[in-house]
Amino acid sequence: MAEKLGILGRKLGMTRVFDGNGVSVPVTVIQAGPCPVLQVKDLERDGYNALQIGFTEAKEKHVTKPMAGHLNKAGKGLFRNLRELRLEAPAEYKVGDDLTVGIFVAGDKVKVTAKSIGKGTAGVMKRWNFAGSRASHGAEKVHRNAGGIGANTEPAKVWKGKKMAGHMGAKRVTTINLTVVAIRPEENVILVKGAIPGPKNGLVMVRKQ
C-alpha cells in the first residue's frame, strides 16, 4: 500500500502561536530532519517500492558491521533510526538526497505516528474509563473494582478482549488530520496544530495525507 512522503523527527513539546487575527493556536513543535535517503527499493529487485530514510546520528560502536556497511553506501554517516516509506514513484529520489521540512507547507494536512507515553499497569477506571462501584450504601473496598467479568452457566467463560486492568500506553499511535501551522526551515522545525502522541524528545514520523 503506497504512502505519502514523510520525515522523521523528535517531539520538542507544546507551545502556542498567534494567527493574523490574534487568536491563540496551540501547537506541537517537532524538530524534523534532514533525513538522508539511504536506499531506494524498487518492485523488480525488492518486491515493492520504497524509500529508506535515516535519522539521529549514531556512533560506530552502536552499529553492527553489516548495518554500518549498508549505511556507508549512502555516504551520509551512521544513523540510529531507520524507516521505510512505501511510495508509488521512489525513483524520483536517489541515495544521498536529503528530505527536509521543506516537503511541507503551512496549511498541509499531516498524520503523525509515534509511540504513546507508557502508563505502566493501570486499573479499569484509568485504562477504560469505568465508572467504578457505588461510593456508599454498603460498598466496602470495591470502589475502583471492575465488577463481574463473566456469566456463570452460559457462556461459563470470560470472553476474549474483555476490558480489564493491565498495561496501558507504550503503543504505536497515529493521529490524523493535523494541520501544519508553520515551517521554519532554518531550524528544521515544524509547528503542528494540536497534540501528537509520545513523550518529549520521542521519535515521530510526520507524513502527508
Side-chain angles (χ1 to χ4, degrees):
M1 181 178 178
E3 298 176 342
K4 297 290 184 69
L5 197 59
I7 192 171
L8 285 167
R10 294 205 174 274
K11 174 182 175 179
L12 298 184
M14 292 195 69
T15 184
R16 65 174 178 170
V17 295
F18 294 91
D19 63 14
N21 298 321
V23 177
S24 175
V25 180
V27 296
T28 301
V29 183
I30 304 172
Q31 188 165 30
C35 294
V37 176
L38 303 176
Q39 185 180 4
V40 179
K41 297 191 174 185
D42 60 46
L43 188 62
E44 293 182 0
R45 184 179 66 248
D46 303 291
Y48 61 98
N49 296 321
L51 285 184
Q52 186 185 75
I53 61 175
F55 184 67
T56 310
E57 292 184 2
K59 295 180 180 179
E60 187 174 357
K61 66 179 181 179
H62 293 150
V63 179
T64 63
K65 287 187 178 180
M67 181 57 70
H70 169 68
L71 297 176
N72 285 332
K73 292 178 182 178
K76 289 288 188 174
L78 305 178
F79 296 91
R80 183 181 303 171
N81 306 113
L82 305 181
R83 292 292 186 276
E84 286 190 359
L85 297 168
R86 294 205 175 194
L87 305 177
E88 292 182 354
E92 298 177 8
Y93 303 89
K94 61 181 184 295
V95 174
D97 287 350
D98 285 328
L99 299 182
T100 68
V101 295
I103 64 176
F104 303 104
V105 296
D108 278 352
K109 289 290 185 180
V110 295
K111 56 182 178 180
V112 178
T113 301
K115 193 173 186 179
S116 63
I117 296 174
K119 305 289 186 180
T121 302
V124 291
M125 292 181 71
K126 179 175 181 179
R127 191 181 185 200
W128 302 112
N129 296 318
F130 278 25
S133 300
R134 56 202 304 179
S136 61
H137 293 284
E140 182 178 356
K141 298 181 181 178
V142 295
H143 308 294
R144 301 183 68 85
N145 282 12
I149 61 172
N152 186 1
T153 304
E154 176 65 33
K157 66 177 181 179
V158 179
W159 292 104
K160 289 183 179 180
K162 176 68 178 175
K163 293 180 178 178
M164 300 177 72
H167 188 268
M168 181 180 179
K171 293 183 178 180
R172 179 183 168 96
V173 179
T174 299
T175 302
I176 63 174
N177 287 331
L178 298 173
T179 304
V180 175
V181 175
I183 301 293
R184 298 178 181 174
E186 66 283 356
E187 300 173 351
N188 294 319
V189 163
I190 307 172
L191 301 183
V192 176
K193 184 177 181 180
I196 66 172
K200 289 183 179 179
N201 294 319
L203 184 70
V204 300
M205 168 68 83
V206 186
R207 289 170 290 173
K208 293 183 178 180
Q209 282 197 188

